[in-house]
Amino acid sequence: MKLGFIILLVCFTISISAQSKEQELLLYYKLIEKKLEEDQTYLSVKSLSINTQDIKAKISENVPRYYNSNPLVFNEKDGYTYYFLYLDETIDIDSIVLIGIVEEIAPSVSTEGAGIFAAAAAPTDPIRETVFKFRDIHSLMKTNPDIYKNLVELISDQLQSDPLLEPRELNNIAEKSKLQKSKGISSKDNADFLNYNYVNGRHHYPEIKKETSNRRGRGRGSASASSGTDYKIDASLSHVTFFSKEIDFGFSGVAAEINFDEYLLNMLPWQPMTMSIGLRGLIALSGDKEDMMKDYILDLRILGRARLDLSSVVTSLPWIFLDKPGLNVGSGIVFDLKTTRAYGLPFINLYFSGGSNDVTTPYTTFLENGVETAYFSFNQWETSFSFFWNTSEKAKFRFKSDLGLAGFNVVKATYGTSPSEEKDYTAFSPIFRLEGTFVPSEGNELFGAKIRLFDSVIKGGFWLKVLTLDDVHTFRFETTFILQPMFRPRKIWEPEGPSMFQIRYRYGF
């Protein structure tokens, strides 16, 4: 008997405690709903009307409600309109947040009213009722996250389907506050990645049909579609890339490249005294439907690097300001992979080049203590993450930063009566890049700048568009410079303050 009494007492206590918590939770819900109802200056609440046919196409099942045993059933009869009330994405909110659903029975009328959920005053006197409250939303997020996700995607799909659709805001937030909230916007899909490559990349990316406006983060990014020319060329005094539609496979393709630069080392083009030639492949791993904005994209370059004796040519080139090349870069294979993000990770970059360790034929040497010496770099590598962001939803100022680790080796070879070979320097340090692009209007990039810090050396550059002809021929002025090392002395193979300028020509981009 005593044991049974204790069990009954414990069960009664738990029941009272549960009821108390339930009442407390209900009180919180009511306070939040009252705040949403009456304070139109607190949150950026928007209202979007969606017809029942569109709702049914996305939500095939009835939606359970928290304090109502009857689920929400969307009425398909004429005259029924549903208003979805939600918080839009901002720098503080990374996705749409649904806060309520209002049903209106009558011809469509203005939603102006004293409160968000208040009945509208109009000649037709429509009947408006909040059929899904915040308490229902909050419970749905925890108990049926898939249904909640479908409701949010329903709003996103409506916004994507009509580029001119502008949901009505139900608050009076000052314009200055709205601008502050739009700072630092990044897309959650591939829009920023594609925007960067359309403007700055050397290679072709497939055209994207413009189905949406500049609503970032929902597949509505401002990625500019490339032109429909049969082939594309990106060329300067240090590189050439070529792409033809004959080798375009839709969301994959191959392009050719020749360059005279070195990606990682703190060197100007032509300074490595090498020529790299190879192919670039683009592969988009799609799901059930090809979607460049959301696909996992692999951008891969594989090139063969050959040494060229350009020691006397480099110093005589009028667009390069360099006293003397100091480092012999070895021949080999270049492997460069860039990917879009997966599972919420940042964008990934992998780079490796390496090959022959032959030191018998240096193209540039030094005389040290009366002995001829040469310095070679055979292996270079980098692994980094890329991050993209914009200063506003219109993406006029676009930024990209890379953060990772990189390294390379330097071998010292001594010639003469007693030839020898030894490891002289091994770099292993963080690498940081920052690039900015100014695009005053869509498809009209104006200028850009970049800076990189690696191995205590700052390497920077700037470009300016100077001419566009027939919307397919673009000419840019580019300059590159390398500053003196910081926090360490200058190595013997590092020239003092080299710089260069060149004209870059782009056709079909």
Side-chain angles (χ1 to χ4, degrees):
M1 290 295 293
K2 289 183 178 181
L3 179 59
F5 176 76
I6 292 173
I7 293 175
L8 288 175
L9 181 61
V10 169
C11 292
F12 178 76
T13 303
I14 293 174
S15 176
I16 294 296
S17 176
Q19 291 179 13
S20 177
K21 290 183 178 180
E22 188 71 17
Q23 292 175 354
E24 183 180 358
L25 181 60
L26 179 59
L27 177 61
Y28 284 133
Y29 282 145
K30 289 180 177 180
L31 290 174
I32 294 172
E33 290 166 358
K34 184 177 181 181
K35 186 70 173 178
L36 296 172
E37 170 84 20
E38 298 180 355
D39 193 347
Q40 297 186 37
T41 63
Y42 181 64
L43 294 172
S44 181
V45 179
K46 294 186 177 182
S47 171
L48 181 66
S49 62
I50 304 178
N51 62 56
T52 310
Q53 288 73 24
D54 291 339
I55 297 174
K56 286 289 188 178
K58 186 72 176 180
I59 312 296
S60 59
E61 54 190 311
N62 297 334
V63 184
R65 287 185 282 197
Y66 186 62
Y67 282 104
N68 193 326
S69 57
N70 298 321
L72 172 60
V73 180
F74 294 101
N75 200 317
E76 297 186 62
K77 295 181 180 179
D78 293 337
Y80 282 80
T81 303
Y82 291 90
Y83 293 90
F84 285 69
L85 307 179
Y86 65 95
L87 302 179
D88 207 349
E89 300 175 11
T90 66
I91 188 174
D92 303 312
I93 305 175
D94 61 0
S95 63
I96 289 175
V97 178
L98 181 64
I99 61 172
I101 302 175
V102 175
E103 179 190 60
E104 180 178 271
I105 308 173
S108 178
V109 296
S110 171
T111 58
E112 300 286 347
I116 293 175
F117 300 93
T124 53
D125 294 328
I127 300 174
R128 302 193 68 201
E129 178 187 2
T130 302
V131 294
F132 213 66
K133 299 183 178 181
F134 177 79
R135 65 189 73 178
D136 302 313
I137 299 292
H138 189 258
S139 174
L140 191 68
M141 292 174 65
K142 297 187 297 182
T143 58
N144 298 91
D146 291 338
I147 298 179
Y148 174 80
K149 180 182 177 182
N150 288 337
L151 290 172
V152 172
E153 288 181 351
L154 174 64
I155 300 175
S156 297
D157 292 344
Q158 290 291 311
L159 296 172
Q160 292 180 32
S161 62
D162 185 358
L164 301 178
L165 182 63
E166 288 296 336
R168 195 171 60 81
E169 296 196 26
L170 303 180
N171 63 11
N172 297 312
I173 292 179
E175 191 67 24
K176 182 177 179 181
S177 299
K178 293 181 183 179
L179 290 175
Q180 290 176 347
K181 281 183 175 292
S182 69
K183 298 291 186 181
I185 293 176
S186 298
S187 67
K188 294 187 297 181
D189 51 25
N190 297 333
D192 291 334
F193 175 84
L194 294 172
N195 274 339
Y196 172 82
N197 284 285
Y198 284 137
V199 175
N200 300 282
R202 293 181 175 181
H203 287 280
H204 157 77
Y205 267 81
E207 297 180 8
I208 294 179
K209 295 180 180 180
K210 291 295 294 181
E211 298 178 351
T212 59
S213 62
N214 292 341
R215 298 190 56 85
R216 310 194 61 73
R218 306 187 196 114
R220 299 170 61 96
S222 59
S224 303
S226 54
S227 68
T229 56
D230 291 337
Y231 59 93
K232 303 177 189 294
I233 298 174
D234 190 309
S236 71
L237 297 173
S238 58
H239 82 277
V240 176
T241 66
F242 176 80
F243 171 83
S244 172
K245 283 189 174 181
E246 298 297 326
I247 50 176
D248 184 10
F249 310 113
F251 283 80
S252 62
V254 179
E257 177 177 352
I258 301 175
N259 70 68
F260 296 89
D261 53 18
E262 210 294 317
Y263 171 76
L264 182 65
L265 297 174
N266 289 310
M267 306 177 77
L268 299 174
W270 296 87
Q271 187 180 343
M273 298 179 293
T274 61
M275 180 181 70
S276 299
I277 181 170
L279 299 176
R280 175 263 197 172
L282 182 69
I283 302 173
L285 304 180
S286 307
D288 297 334
K289 181 180 179 181
E290 292 179 342
D291 186 352
M292 199 67 174
M293 284 292 189
K294 298 180 181 180
D295 290 340
Y296 186 64
I297 301 173
L298 303 177
D299 189 338
L300 174 64
R301 293 190 309 146
I302 299 179
L303 304 99
R305 186 170 66 192
R307 299 179 64 218
L308 296 176
D309 189 358
L310 303 173
S311 56
S312 59
V313 175
V314 175
T315 55
S316 61
L317 295 175
W319 60 86
I320 294 181
F321 303 93
L322 176 69
D323 292 336
K324 175 187 176 182
L327 189 63
N328 298 273
V329 177
S331 59
I333 298 294
V334 176
F335 175 90
D336 183 16
L337 175 65
K338 294 177 173 58
T339 76
T340 54
R341 57 188 169 193
Y343 308 108
L345 295 173
F347 298 84
I348 298 175
N349 310 302
L350 299 173
Y351 175 85
F352 174 79
S353 62
S356 171
N357 295 328
D358 183 16
V359 299
T360 57
T361 55
Y363 295 150
T364 180
T365 61
F366 297 90
L367 196 62
E368 297 183 29
N369 299 322
V371 179
E372 186 181 26
T373 59
Y375 295 86
F376 290 81
S377 179
F378 299 111
N379 303 307
Q380 303 86 34
W381 62 271
E382 176 192 328
T383 176
S384 61
F385 293 117
S386 292
F387 304 88
F388 299 87
W389 73 96
N390 311 277
T391 57
S392 70
E393 291 183 356
K394 294 183 179 180
K396 290 186 177 181
F397 287 94
R398 306 170 182 177
F399 293 93
K400 171 182 178 284
S401 66
D402 297 337
L403 184 62
L405 292 173
F408 64 91
N409 72 324
V410 174
V411 173
K412 179 180 179 181
T414 303
Y415 306 94
T417 57
S418 301
S420 64
E421 180 181 339
E422 61 179 328
K423 183 179 295 185
D424 183 75
Y425 183 70
T426 299
F428 178 81
S429 74
I431 186 168
F432 172 75
R433 293 186 190 86
L434 177 63
E435 298 186 47
T437 307
F438 177 56
V439 185
S441 60
E442 185 176 340
N444 181 33
E445 64 277 7
L446 184 57
F447 64 81
K450 58 184 178 181
I451 191 170
R452 185 187 79 173
L453 176 60
F454 170 60
D455 190 31
S456 299
V457 176
I458 291 179
K459 181 179 181 180
F462 174 83
W463 64 264
L464 174 68
K465 184 173 72 172
V466 295
L467 182 64
T468 299
L469 299 174
D470 300 328
D471 293 329
V472 293
H473 304 274
T474 303
F475 297 86
R476 296 178 181 176
F477 171 81
E478 295 187 345
T479 181
T480 305
F481 61 88
I482 301 175
L483 301 182
Q484 294 297 298
M486 303 181 298
F487 316 119
R488 66 169 176 81
R490 182 169 60 92
K491 301 294 183 181
I492 188 173
W493 65 80
E494 294 177 321
E496 188 173 353
S499 61
M500 69 168 292
F501 68 87
Q502 62 181 348
I503 297 296
R504 181 175 174 184
Y505 168 70
R506 287 159 61 87
Y507 172 78
F509 286 86

